[in-house]
Amino acid sequence: MSEVRLVVAPIDNRETFKDKAYAALRNVIESSDIYRTRTEIRLDERQLAQDFGVSRTPVREAMAQLEREGFVRSVPRRGVYVVRKTKREVIELIQAWAALESMAARLITLHASDADIAGLRRMFATFEGNKLHAKLDEYSEVNIAFHQAIIELSGNQALIRLAENLFTHMRMIRGRTIGEDDRVDRSIRDHMNIIKALEARDTERAEDLVRQHALGLAEHVDKHADYLD
């Protein structure tokens, strides 16, 4: 199987080398489109250290942390590879996300300010009338930012911490699926309905709409994401 090499930028010394290497590697993994190809992505410790301009120790420590978090895996005598989840694993991640995000929506209706909720509506100013008035990749970024904002506006720090690593996986799979079928138009409609429920402080409806929106992604993956197998 062929492999691709990730392009990374040098590291400066404003943070510890290990933390900076970790953040840089995680950022590269998030943007690597691992679900758009079956090509394995191998992380070369020596090359990464050279690209970052640091010793191999902080890179090795960063990759060990990423492996504990489920983003990379070590293969004896071969190296370290970015983890590509199976269809079943992706569906389980989405189901877990549905539980966290729906609770976040519930908390927003109870505690978030009107100004914070209004900020969610402003995200979609360029997508009026359920029509895509911007490039797909621009909508994809807004879509991802919306779901991240739902988690953050919950104000629940434990929930936010639990969602952090899960969100990275969700970001990668949402980026792959948003352009499939008619998911863009449905996504916009779902988001606007969620915002209306949040604005109305309709706790049960907001919680249900967010949960069903996420589970709709799980259903789509189950039916159409054969490329994950």
Side-chain angles (χ1 to χ4, degrees), residues 34-172:
I34 62 171
Y35 295 114
R36 293 184 184 276
T37 176
R38 292 182 181 275
T39 303
E40 289 190 300
I41 299 177
R42 181 174 177 271
L43 301 177
D44 186 317
E45 181 183 300
R46 185 191 304 273
Q47 187 62 53
L48 286 168
Q50 181 177 323
D51 292 342
F52 288 152
V54 299
S55 72
R56 295 173 64 177
T57 299
V59 174
R60 187 179 303 118
E61 292 173 344
M63 289 200 290
Q65 182 174 345
L66 287 165
E67 184 166 19
R68 289 192 297 271
E69 294 172 351
F71 294 109
V72 302
R73 72 184 191 282
S74 297
V75 180
R77 295 181 296 279
R78 288 186 60 198
V80 178
Y81 292 82
V82 176
V83 168
R84 190 174 185 273
K85 300 292 187 181
T86 65
K87 180 191 284 190
R88 173 43 49 192
E89 288 171 333
V90 166
I91 290 171
E92 290 177 353
L93 287 171
I94 297 170
Q95 290 169 340
W97 180 265
L100 290 176
E101 192 177 20
S102 60
M103 176 53 70
R106 183 178 190 88
L107 294 172
I108 288 172
T109 66
L110 299 174
H111 305 300
S113 69
D114 290 343
D116 284 339
I117 296 174
L120 296 174
R121 182 175 288 277
R122 286 194 297 274
M123 288 184 178
F124 295 92
T126 58
F127 308 103
E128 299 171 355
N130 297 334
K131 298 298 181 182
L132 190 61
H133 294 305
K135 295 179 182 179
L136 181 60
D137 58 352
E138 291 177 9
Y139 178 73
S140 180
E141 286 303 309
V142 171
N143 175 49
I144 290 165
F146 175 80
H147 289 286
Q148 191 167 27
I150 292 289
I151 294 294
E152 292 174 351
L153 290 180
S154 73
N156 184 308
Q157 295 304 310
L159 190 154
I160 291 169
R161 287 193 298 273
L162 286 170
E164 184 178 0
N165 286 346
L166 186 57
F167 183 78
T168 301
H169 293 290
M170 290 296 298
R171 179 185 181 93
M172 291 188 286

